[in-house]
């Protein structure tokens, strides 16, 4: 897992080149984008929404469920993302979108989704198989980004990608050393990961998912300034949790100055509600590199925490077992 995480820059560069070769058809008139996916396959859509937040006027919804909502808008684009191609929620939502005659594109390494897309003549942006889905984040995210560019939803992110890839390659060893120290701080603690901008919301979520799946621990996420209007009151109880929680603030140079001020006041106002607080600043010039810098740091922390806990970051036995049980009960139904 650690090698795969450290390979993120190469993976992103490869994904950019590969997804350009796919025939997608005519560009789509600007409408909303709905991306169906679960877990490691859904995060790419959240990352794109964070990236676009204050620069691309396209609304991106991530659909993490079986059915497309009533708000499914046929004037836009529906993207079904499943690394394995066999996730039942995603495949069901894909069928809904096909029935609704939406413009659909799939991103997958194969499975039922690829087979059904071929049957309906729907373009597939292929990603290489053989990885745990969460370790394919570079493939899944960049494939989506390039697809959105090629269909006319956003400008080219090539320049930004080049910076992100270069920065991650140059800084990965230092980020890894830092991650090992941070993991030490998080051992036997409950991480409370707080995002301070819409660019970093999906990064906080990615920290949670990676800590869950790689380090096999619980993690809580929250988002400023909203946090200051509810959760701030609850911090500190139950006391047992407060004693063991570490606040991890994700900060970006474009964090609204008022929100940055809130972050500092929040730590004072809730003293006693957490054991320790850490502030992590994104690195890089463009938004994409800044997003990648904290994402990769979080991935590395999850691997190092797994090491300290003596657990293997690769298997996700409970996810597999639940999928097996669900498949069995489908066959019986
Ligand atoms: O990390 C994981 O293994 C999960 O979160 C999967 O991504 C999730 O179960 C969905 O599977 P897939 O990505 O194959 O659609």
């Amino acid at each position: 897992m650690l090698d795969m995480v450290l390979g993120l820059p190469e993976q992103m560069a490869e994904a950019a080149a590969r997804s350009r070769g796919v025939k997608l058809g005519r560009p789509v008139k600007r409408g909303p984008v709905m991306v169906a996916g679960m877990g490691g396959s859904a995060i790419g859509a959240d990352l794109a929404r964070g990236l676009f937040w204050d620069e691309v006027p396209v609304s991106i919804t991530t659909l993490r469920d079986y059915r497309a909502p009533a708000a499914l808008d046929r004037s836009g684009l529906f993207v079904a993302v499943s690394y394995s191609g066999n996730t039942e929620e995603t495949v069901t939502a894909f069928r809904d979108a096909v029935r609704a005659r939406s413009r659909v594109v799939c991103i997958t390494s194969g499975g039922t989704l690829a087979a059904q897309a071929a049957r309906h003549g729907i373009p597939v942006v292929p990603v290489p198989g053989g990885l745990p889905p969460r370790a394919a984040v570079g493939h899944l995210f960049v494939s989506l980004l390039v697809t959105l560019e090629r269909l006319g939803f956003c400008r080219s992110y090539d320049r930004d990608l080049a910076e992100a890839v270069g920065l991650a390659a140059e800084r990965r060893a230092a980020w890894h050393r830092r991650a090992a120290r941070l993991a030490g701080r998080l051992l036997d603690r409950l991480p409370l990961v707080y995002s301070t901008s819409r660019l970093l919301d999906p990064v906080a979520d990615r920290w949670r998912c990676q800590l869950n799946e790689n380090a096999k621990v619980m993690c809580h996420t929250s988002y400023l300034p909203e946090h200051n209007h509810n959760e701030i009151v609850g911090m500190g109880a139950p006391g047992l949790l407060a004693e063991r929680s570490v606040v991890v603030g994700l900060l970006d140079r474009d964090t609204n100055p008022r929100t940055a001020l809130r972050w500092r006041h929040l730590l004072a106002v809730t003293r006693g509600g957490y054991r320790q607080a850490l502030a992590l600043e994104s690195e890089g010039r463009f938004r994409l590199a800044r997003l990648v810098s904290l994402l990769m740091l979080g991935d590395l922390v999850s691997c190092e925490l797994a090491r300290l806990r003596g657990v293997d970051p690769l298997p996700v036995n409970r996810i597999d077992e639940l999928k097996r049980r669900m498949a069995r009960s489908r066959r019986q139904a």
Side-chain angles (χ1 to χ4, degrees), residues 186 191-195 207 246-250 263 276-280:
L186 296 181
L192 310 177
V193 182
Y194 291 170
S195 148
W207 271 65
V246 174
V247 174
V248 180
L250 304 182
W263 159 252
Q276 196 186 6
L278 310 168
L280 306 178

Side-chain angles (χ1 to χ4, degrees), residues 140-152:
L140 297 168
F141 170 47
V142 172
S143 298
L144 177 66
L145 201 58
V146 171
T147 300
L148 292 178
E149 176 211 318
R150 294 183 62 218
L151 289 176

Side-chain angles (χ1 to χ4, degrees), residues 38-41 81-85 87 90 133-134 213 316 319 323:
M38 302 300 299
S41 288
V81 186
S82 169
Y83 183 74
S84 62
T87 298
T90 313
R134 61 193 181 284
E213 293 183 61
V316 282
I319 297 179
K323 285 184 178 179

Side-chain angles (χ1 to χ4, degrees), residues 9 161-171:
L161 260 174
E163 190 214 358
V165 167
L167 180 79
E170 185 194 315
R171 298 282 294 139

Side-chain angles (χ1 to χ4, degrees), residues 90-162:
T90 313
V91 173
T92 308
F94 160 82
R95 286 198 202 111
D96 263 10
V98 172
R99 261 196 300 272
R101 298 183 180 283
S102 301
R103 177 79 182 271
V104 180
V105 174
C106 296
I107 301 177
T108 183
S109 70
T112 310
L113 195 59
Q116 296 201 0
R119 196 172 316 141
H120 294 283
I122 287 169
V124 173
V125 181
V127 291
L131 298 170
R134 61 193 181 284
V137 65
H139 287 302
L140 297 168
F141 170 47
V142 172
S143 298
L144 177 66
L145 201 58
V146 171
T147 300
L148 292 178
E149 176 211 318
R150 294 183 62 218
L151 289 176
F153 286 93
C154 62
R155 65 171 173 83
S156 160
Y157 273 87
D158 285 356
R159 171 202 68 176
D160 313 56
L161 260 174

Side-chain angles (χ1 to χ4, degrees), residues 192 194 220-222 226-235:
L192 310 177
Y194 291 170
H220 170 77
T221 40
S222 203
E226 176 64 16
H227 166 285
N228 298 171
H229 300 272
N230 30 64
E231 186 171 325
I232 189 171
V233 185
M235 284 177 79

